[in-house]
PDB file of all heavy atoms in Angstrom:
ATOM      1  N   GLY A1231     107.741  33.434  83.138  1.00  0.00           N
ATOM      2  CA  GLY A1231     108.713  33.528  82.056  1.00  0.00           C
ATOM      3  C   GLY A1231     108.171  34.045  80.741  1.00  0.00           C
ATOM      4  O   GLY A1231     108.665  35.042  80.189  1.00  0.00           O
ATOM      5  N   ASP A1232     107.146  33.390  80.202  1.00  0.00           N
ATOM      6  CA  ASP A1232     106.589  33.774  78.898  1.00  0.00           C
ATOM      7  C   ASP A1232     106.044  35.200  78.921  1.00  0.00           C
ATOM      8  O   ASP A1232     106.402  36.029  78.084  1.00  0.00           O
ATOM      9  CB  ASP A1232     105.465  32.808  78.496  1.00  0.00           C
ATOM     10  CG  ASP A1232     105.965  31.392  78.302  1.00  0.00           C
ATOM     11  OD1 ASP A1232     107.021  31.224  77.669  1.00  0.00           O
ATOM     12  OD2 ASP A1232     105.311  30.461  78.786  1.00  0.00           O
ATOM     13  N   SER A1233     105.175  35.468  79.871  1.00  0.00           N
ATOM     14  CA  SER A1233     104.553  36.793  79.933  1.00  0.00           C
ATOM     15  C   SER A1233     105.568  37.867  80.289  1.00  0.00           C
ATOM     16  O   SER A1233     105.448  39.014  79.850  1.00  0.00           O
ATOM     17  CB  SER A1233     103.392  36.794  80.939  1.00  0.00           C
ATOM     18  OG  SER A1233     103.840  36.402  82.226  1.00  0.00           O
ATOM     19  N   LEU A1234     106.596  37.508  81.067  1.00  0.00           N
ATOM     20  CA  LEU A1234     107.632  38.468  81.428  1.00  0.00           C
ATOM     21  C   LEU A1234     108.410  38.924  80.196  1.00  0.00           C
ATOM     22  O   LEU A1234     108.611  40.122  79.976  1.00  0.00           O
ATOM     23  CB  LEU A1234     108.587  37.842  82.448  1.00  0.00           C
ATOM     24  CG  LEU A1234     109.746  38.733  82.908  1.00  0.00           C
ATOM     25  CD1 LEU A1234     109.236  39.856  83.793  1.00  0.00           C
ATOM     26  CD2 LEU A1234     110.790  37.902  83.658  1.00  0.00           C
ATOM     27  N   LEU A1235     108.824  37.970  79.374  1.00  0.00           N
ATOM     28  CA  LEU A1235     109.591  38.298  78.170  1.00  0.00           C
ATOM     29  C   LEU A1235     108.735  39.059  77.166  1.00  0.00           C
ATOM     30  O   LEU A1235     109.180  40.042  76.566  1.00  0.00           O
ATOM     31  CB  LEU A1235     110.126  37.012  77.535  1.00  0.00           C
ATOM     32  CG  LEU A1235     111.191  36.267  78.328  1.00  0.00           C
ATOM     33  CD1 LEU A1235     111.529  34.952  77.649  1.00  0.00           C
ATOM     34  CD2 LEU A1235     112.443  37.117  78.481  1.00  0.00           C
ATOM     35  N   PHE A1236     107.514  38.591  76.968  1.00  0.00           N
ATOM     36  CA  PHE A1236     106.600  39.241  76.023  1.00  0.00           C
ATOM     37  C   PHE A1236     106.337  40.688  76.445  1.00  0.00           C
ATOM     38  O   PHE A1236     106.418  41.610  75.626  1.00  0.00           O
ATOM     39  CB  PHE A1236     105.291  38.457  75.961  1.00  0.00           C
ATOM     40  CG  PHE A1236     104.277  39.036  75.007  1.00  0.00           C
ATOM     41  CD1 PHE A1236     104.305  38.717  73.666  1.00  0.00           C
ATOM     42  CD2 PHE A1236     103.289  39.899  75.475  1.00  0.00           C
ATOM     43  CE1 PHE A1236     103.368  39.251  72.781  1.00  0.00           C
ATOM     44  CE2 PHE A1236     102.351  40.438  74.611  1.00  0.00           C
ATOM     45  CZ  PHE A1236     102.394  40.107  73.256  1.00  0.00           C
ATOM     46  N   THR A1237     106.046  40.880  77.723  1.00  0.00           N
ATOM     47  CA  THR A1237     105.740  42.223  78.221  1.00  0.00           C
ATOM     48  C   THR A1237     106.973  43.120  78.186  1.00  0.00           C
ATOM     49  O   THR A1237     106.867  44.320  77.908  1.00  0.00           O
ATOM     50  CB  THR A1237     105.192  42.154  79.658  1.00  0.00           C
ATOM     51  OG1 THR A1237     104.067  41.255  79.688  1.00  0.00           O
ATOM     52  CG2 THR A1237     104.738  43.516  80.137  1.00  0.00           C
ATOM     53  N   ALA A1238     108.143  42.553  78.460  1.00  0.00           N
ATOM     54  CA  ALA A1238     109.378  43.334  78.387  1.00  0.00           C
ATOM     55  C   ALA A1238     109.606  43.859  76.975  1.00  0.00           C
ATOM     56  O   ALA A1238     109.999  45.017  76.786  1.00  0.00           O
ATOM     57  CB  ALA A1238     110.570  42.486  78.833  1.00  0.00           C
ATOM     58  N   GLY A1239     109.346  43.010  75.983  1.00  0.00           N
ATOM     59  CA  GLY A1239     109.474  43.461  74.597  1.00  0.00           C
ATOM     60  C   GLY A1239     108.443  44.509  74.248  1.00  0.00           C
ATOM     61  O   GLY A1239     108.745  45.494  73.556  1.00  0.00           O
ATOM     62  N   LEU A1240     107.241  44.328  74.747  1.00  0.00           N
ATOM     63  CA  LEU A1240     106.159  45.256  74.452  1.00  0.00           C
ATOM     64  C   LEU A1240     106.389  46.622  75.101  1.00  0.00           C
ATOM     65  O   LEU A1240     106.095  47.661  74.519  1.00  0.00           O
ATOM     66  CB  LEU A1240     104.841  44.641  74.939  1.00  0.00           C
ATOM     67  CG  LEU A1240     103.539  45.211  74.395  1.00  0.00           C
ATOM     68  CD1 LEU A1240     102.453  44.154  74.378  1.00  0.00           C
ATOM     69  CD2 LEU A1240     103.089  46.391  75.260  1.00  0.00           C
ATOM     70  N   LEU A1241     106.955  46.631  76.318  1.00  0.00           N
ATOM     71  CA  LEU A1241     107.142  47.877  77.078  1.00  0.00           C
ATOM     72  C   LEU A1241     108.576  48.404  76.999  1.00  0.00           C
ATOM     73  O   LEU A1241     108.960  49.247  77.820  1.00  0.00           O
ATOM     74  CB  LEU A1241     106.781  47.647  78.553  1.00  0.00           C
ATOM     75  CG  LEU A1241     105.342  47.233  78.872  1.00  0.00           C
ATOM     76  CD1 LEU A1241     105.184  47.008  80.373  1.00  0.00           C
ATOM     77  CD2 LEU A1241     104.352  48.271  78.384  1.00  0.00           C
ATOM     78  N   HIS A1242     109.365  47.938  76.047  1.00  0.00           N
ATOM     79  CA  HIS A1242     110.788  48.279  76.040  1.00  0.00           C
ATOM     80  C   HIS A1242     111.038  49.794  75.999  1.00  0.00           C
ATOM     81  O   HIS A1242     111.970  50.296  76.624  1.00  0.00           O
ATOM     82  CB  HIS A1242     111.494  47.591  74.862  1.00  0.00           C
ATOM     83  CG  HIS A1242     111.160  48.160  73.513  1.00  0.00           C
ATOM     84  ND1 HIS A1242     110.036  47.774  72.815  1.00  0.00           N
ATOM     85  CD2 HIS A1242     111.799  49.082  72.745  1.00  0.00           C
ATOM     86  CE1 HIS A1242     110.003  48.429  71.660  1.00  0.00           C
ATOM     87  NE2 HIS A1242     111.051  49.228  71.598  1.00  0.00           N
ATOM     88  N   GLU A1243     110.189  50.529  75.287  1.00  0.00           N
ATOM     89  CA  GLU A1243     110.382  51.979  75.221  1.00  0.00           C
ATOM     90  C   GLU A1243     110.108  52.629  76.568  1.00  0.00           C
ATOM     91  O   GLU A1243     110.864  53.502  77.020  1.00  0.00           O
ATOM     92  CB  GLU A1243     109.485  52.580  74.143  1.00  0.00           C
ATOM     93  CG  GLU A1243     109.889  52.184  72.724  1.00  0.00           C
ATOM     94  CD  GLU A1243     109.013  52.853  71.675  1.00  0.00           C
ATOM     95  OE1 GLU A1243     107.984  53.452  72.065  1.00  0.00           O
ATOM     96  OE2 GLU A1243     109.346  52.758  70.477  1.00  0.00           O
ATOM     97  N   ALA A1244     109.039  52.213  77.215  1.00  0.00           N
ATOM     98  CA  ALA A1244     108.706  52.768  78.529  1.00  0.00           C
ATOM     99  C   ALA A1244     109.774  52.423  79.566  1.00  0.00           C
ATOM    100  O   ALA A1244     109.996  53.183  80.516  1.00  0.00           O
ATOM    101  CB  ALA A1244     107.346  52.252  78.989  1.00  0.00           C
ATOM    102  N   LEU A1245     110.440  51.290  79.380  1.00  0.00           N
ATOM    103  CA  LEU A1245     111.486  50.862  80.306  1.00  0.00           C
ATOM    104  C   LEU A1245     112.829  51.497  79.986  1.00  0.00           C
ATOM    105  O   LEU A1245     113.789  51.352  80.757  1.00  0.00           O
ATOM    106  CB  LEU A1245     111.622  49.330  80.275  1.00  0.00           C
ATOM    107  CG  LEU A1245     110.404  48.520  80.730  1.00  0.00           C
ATOM    108  CD1 LEU A1245     110.633  47.036  80.471  1.00  0.00           C
ATOM    109  CD2 LEU A1245     110.101  48.769  82.204  1.00  0.00           C
ATOM    110  N   GLY A1246     112.901  52.168  78.835  1.00  0.00           N
ATOM    111  CA  GLY A1246     114.154  52.792  78.424  1.00  0.00           C
ATOM    112  C   GLY A1246     115.192  51.782  77.978  1.00  0.00           C
ATOM    113  O   GLY A1246     116.394  52.003  78.130  1.00  0.00           O
ATOM    114  N   LEU A1247     114.735  50.658  77.430  1.00  0.00           N
ATOM    115  CA  LEU A1247     115.637  49.589  77.013  1.00  0.00           C
ATOM    116  C   LEU A1247     115.445  49.275  75.532  1.00  0.00           C
ATOM    117  O   LEU A1247     114.327  49.360  75.021  1.00  0.00           O
ATOM    118  CB  LEU A1247     115.379  48.319  77.828  1.00  0.00           C
ATOM    119  CG  LEU A1247     115.609  48.420  79.345  1.00  0.00           C
ATOM    120  CD1 LEU A1247     115.082  47.170  80.029  1.00  0.00           C
ATOM    121  CD2 LEU A1247     117.088  48.610  79.644  1.00  0.00           C
ATOM    122  N   GLN A1248     116.502  48.897  74.864  1.00  0.00           N
ATOM    123  CA  GLN A1248     116.412  48.481  73.472  1.00  0.00           C
ATOM    124  C   GLN A1248     116.052  47.007  73.404  1.00  0.00           C
ATOM    125  O   GLN A1248     116.460  46.212  74.260  1.00  0.00           O
ATOM    126  CB  GLN A1248     117.734  48.741  72.751  1.00  0.00           C
ATOM    127  CG  GLN A1248     118.104  50.209  72.650  1.00  0.00           C
ATOM    128  CD  GLN A1248     119.340  50.436  71.804  1.00  0.00           C
ATOM    129  OE1 GLN A1248     119.701  49.613  70.967  1.00  0.00           O
ATOM    130  NE2 GLN A1248     120.006  51.561  72.027  1.00  0.00           N
ATOM    131  N   VAL A1249     115.302  46.647  72.375  1.00  0.00           N
ATOM    132  CA  VAL A1249     114.828  45.274  72.241  1.00  0.00           C
ATOM    133  C   VAL A1249     115.988  44.286  72.197  1.00  0.00           C
ATOM    134  O   VAL A1249     115.960  43.236  72.849  1.00  0.00           O
ATOM    135  CB  VAL A1249     113.946  45.121  70.980  1.00  0.00           C
ATOM    136  CG1 VAL A1249     113.584  43.655  70.744  1.00  0.00           C
ATOM    137  CG2 VAL A1249     112.673  45.948  71.112  1.00  0.00           C
ATOM    138  N   TRP A1250     117.026  44.612  71.430  1.00  0.00           N
ATOM    139  CA  TRP A1250     118.130  43.668  71.282  1.00  0.00           C
ATOM    140  C   TRP A1250     118.870  43.451  72.602  1.00  0.00           C
ATOM    141  O   TRP A1250     119.387  42.343  72.852  1.00  0.00           O
ATOM    142  CB  TRP A1250     119.090  44.131  70.188  1.00  0.00           C
ATOM    143  CG  TRP A1250     119.959  45.312  70.533  1.00  0.00           C
ATOM    144  CD1 TRP A1250     119.718  46.628  70.289  1.00  0.00           C
ATOM    145  CD2 TRP A1250     121.233  45.257  71.192  1.00  0.00           C
ATOM    146  NE1 TRP A1250     120.747  47.407  70.749  1.00  0.00           N
ATOM    147  CE2 TRP A1250     121.703  46.601  71.306  1.00  0.00           C
ATOM    148  CE3 TRP A1250     122.031  44.228  71.690  1.00  0.00           C
ATOM    149  CZ2 TRP A1250     122.922  46.909  71.901  1.00  0.00           C
ATOM    150  CZ3 TRP A1250     123.246  44.547  72.292  1.00  0.00           C
ATOM    151  CH2 TRP A1250     123.680  45.866  72.382  1.00  0.00           C
ATOM    152  N   VAL A1251     118.895  44.463  73.448  1.00  0.00           N
ATOM    153  CA  VAL A1251     119.560  44.321  74.747  1.00  0.00           C
ATOM    154  C   VAL A1251     118.766  43.366  75.645  1.00  0.00           C
ATOM    155  O   VAL A1251     119.327  42.471  76.287  1.00  0.00           O
ATOM    156  CB  VAL A1251     119.722  45.693  75.431  1.00  0.00           C
ATOM    157  CG1 VAL A1251     120.276  45.517  76.849  1.00  0.00           C
ATOM    158  CG2 VAL A1251     120.637  46.592  74.618  1.00  0.00           C
ATOM    159  N   ILE A1252     117.446  43.552  75.675  1.00  0.00           N
ATOM    160  CA  ILE A1252     116.590  42.654  76.467  1.00  0.00           C
ATOM    161  C   ILE A1252     116.710  41.229  75.949  1.00  0.00           C
ATOM    162  O   ILE A1252     116.868  40.278  76.720  1.00  0.00           O
ATOM    163  CB  ILE A1252     115.121  43.101  76.413  1.00  0.00           C
ATOM    164  CG1 ILE A1252     114.959  44.518  76.953  1.00  0.00           C
ATOM    165  CG2 ILE A1252     114.239  42.140  77.208  1.00  0.00           C
ATOM    166  CD1 ILE A1252     113.552  45.081  76.793  1.00  0.00           C
ATOM    167  N   ALA A1253     116.633  41.075  74.619  1.00  0.00           N
ATOM    168  CA  ALA A1253     116.691  39.748  74.005  1.00  0.00           C
ATOM    169  C   ALA A1253     118.023  39.061  74.299  1.00  0.00           C
ATOM    170  O   ALA A1253     118.060  37.863  74.621  1.00  0.00           O
ATOM    171  CB  ALA A1253     116.467  39.857  72.501  1.00  0.00           C
ATOM    172  N   LEU A1254     119.107  39.795  74.194  1.00  0.00           N
ATOM    173  CA  LEU A1254     120.429  39.213  74.436  1.00  0.00           C
ATOM    174  C   LEU A1254     120.577  38.768  75.891  1.00  0.00           C
ATOM    175  O   LEU A1254     121.032  37.643  76.168  1.00  0.00           O
ATOM    176  CB  LEU A1254     121.512  40.234  74.092  1.00  0.00           C
ATOM    177  CG  LEU A1254     122.966  39.791  74.365  1.00  0.00           C
ATOM    178  CD1 LEU A1254     123.314  38.564  73.538  1.00  0.00           C
ATOM    179  CD2 LEU A1254     123.938  40.932  74.079  1.00  0.00           C
ATOM    180  N   CYS A1255     120.190  39.632  76.819  1.00  0.00           N
ATOM    181  CA  CYS A1255     120.302  39.285  78.234  1.00  0.00           C
ATOM    182  C   CYS A1255     119.407  38.099  78.592  1.00  0.00           C
ATOM    183  O   CYS A1255     119.805  37.217  79.367  1.00  0.00           O
ATOM    184  CB  CYS A1255     119.953  40.495  79.100  1.00  0.00           C
ATOM    185  SG  CYS A1255     121.175  41.823  79.041  1.00  0.00           S
ATOM    186  N   ALA A1256     118.200  38.079  78.029  1.00  0.00           N
ATOM    187  CA  ALA A1256     117.277  36.973  78.289  1.00  0.00           C
ATOM    188  C   ALA A1256     117.831  35.664  77.730  1.00  0.00           C
ATOM    189  O   ALA A1256     117.724  34.604  78.356  1.00  0.00           O
ATOM    190  CB  ALA A1256     115.909  37.277  77.682  1.00  0.00           C
TER     191      ALA A1256
END
């Protein structure tokens, strides 16, 4: 959980996702 969320935020550009979208879904 912790590392997944942290890494998702860190790699958001490479994943083609906006930070607020990841944060909201999480």
